[in-house]
Amino acid sequence: MGVTLDLSRAPTVPAAPSKPNLIGLTRAELAQALIDAGVVRPEKARMRATQLWRWIHHYGVTDFSAMSDVAKEMRATLAETFTLARPEIVERQVSRDGTRKWLIRTAPGIEVECVYIPDVGRAGALCVSSQVGCTLNCTFCHTGTQALVRNLTAAEIVAQVQVARDDLEEWPSPKEDRKLTNIVFMGMGEPLYNLDNVAAAIDIIADNEGIAISRRRITVSTSGVVPELTALGERTQAMLAISLHATNDPLRETLVPLNRKYPIAELMAAIRAYPGLSNAKRVTFEYVMLKGVNDSPADARALVQLLKGIPSKINLIPFNPWPGSIHECSDWGTIEAFAAILNRAGFASPIRTPRGRDILAACGQLKSESEKLRASVRRKATASESAS
Ligand code: SAH
Ligand code: SF4
């Protein structure tokens, strides 16, 4: 039986070890990396790290030679030891509505999508990915059809922000009149299955002397990984978004299979305990509108009951179709009637206008071609390649 493999995505020889990239290191890690490489003496490490930090995250430089206040020799040593290279941009698309989507390759076979949406948040939001693929299989989500390839590193998450900033020509990081004001972890993957790297990336992105996007403008969306919720709040102080989509366990289990592990009652208890929750820091509940599935007036009333007493806002997301999807989007009138019930009960419940649908950049449409090749298949391909 023949096996066809796209070998351009599956290198058969290990890539040469590349130099460590500094963009994914927290301040403390950066100082340590400089010491470990013998580039600075320990007593000078903090000062040097602060200096480099500003060049990397405030000015967005990709070349050590641009660091004009660092001695020439030191710049040369840094360049020999480390890199600041951006990942490769495989594809860039711009929607009719101004949404921009990048397909980024961070390593052989590791491709992720991220999306900039203008006029969202204070000025514009960047939707970043936390994993390549996803282990969860929500029935309405395109990413869910792609097997998990791996977690992204902190550097790969920060790189998405830097690529967007490059494209928006937003260096040095402005304090006012920004195009990019908000970050949402609503791209590919489940961020709470990659909390260490997500938390490190948020530390870097939120640092006031760098990209400086405040934690209150960073939202992490989860399908409901209950045991990690408190840690998320404590470690990141990020805003929380919950992909709810249904108000009873039997229905939620069919849409979000993770509900079998963490049913609604447990999820709601963990949300109520989320650190820092207040009227000023509300939880966002995401609710995808699926025709004939979860969009009746009774569903809306059940939602009101479920969220009683939780400082919350409900984002109604019209379902975005993708090739092969089994659901349909609710009719507009149905969505408006649903929203009206929530509004009357006192909930802010904006209907999220689909953005970038023409370039498959809207919620739940992201998917890269990266596939996890089974080791056995890869070995076979390698063997037949070297035999030919
Ligand atoms: N894994 C995380 C974050 C990524 S998904 C999570 O599930 O929360 C980001 C949001 O897009 C989630 O609320 C998800 O439910 C929603 N979504 C997924 N597929 C969608 C689709 N086809 N149409 C509209 N929203 C979708
Ligand atoms: Fe994964 Fe979120 Fe998509 Fe569910 S909605 S499959 S958790 S990315």
Side-chain angles (χ1 to χ4, degrees), residues 274-312:
Y274 190 70
L277 206 61
S278 69
N279 264 333
K281 201 176 167 198
R282 292 179 291 176
V283 181
T284 301
F285 287 92
E286 294 157 283
Y287 195 97
V288 62
M289 299 299 296
L290 304 171
K291 191 177 197 159
V293 175
N294 63 356
D295 60 353
S296 72
D299 289 314
R301 287 192 291 271
L303 189 54
V304 168
Q305 287 307 315
L306 190 65
L307 303 191
K308 249 190 189 148
I310 302 178
S312 45

Side-chain angles (χ1 to χ4, degrees), residues 134-138 140-144 187-190 223 243 245 256:
C134 189
T135 49
L136 305 171
N137 298 94
C138 303
F140 47 82
C141 176
H142 203 192
T143 309
M188 295 161 60
E190 170 48 60
S223 56
S243 298
H245 310 314
V256 182

Side-chain angles (χ1 to χ4, degrees), residues 188-248:
M188 295 161 60
E190 170 48 60
L192 295 199
Y193 281 157
N194 187 18
L195 186 54
D196 286 345
N197 291 329
V198 166
I202 291 177
D203 284 345
I204 296 168
I205 295 164
D207 189 293
N208 217 19
E209 284 184 293
I211 296 167
I213 294 179
S214 104
R215 291 170 194 271
R216 304 193 51 132
R217 296 190 188 283
I218 300 177
T219 302
V220 177
S221 173
T222 176
S223 56
V225 185
V226 167
E228 299 294 341
L229 278 186
T230 305
L232 172 71
E234 284 172 353
R235 292 175 65 178
T236 69
Q237 292 100 53
M239 304 295 285
L240 177 64
I242 298 285
S243 298
L244 191 60
H245 310 314
T247 54
N248 61 75

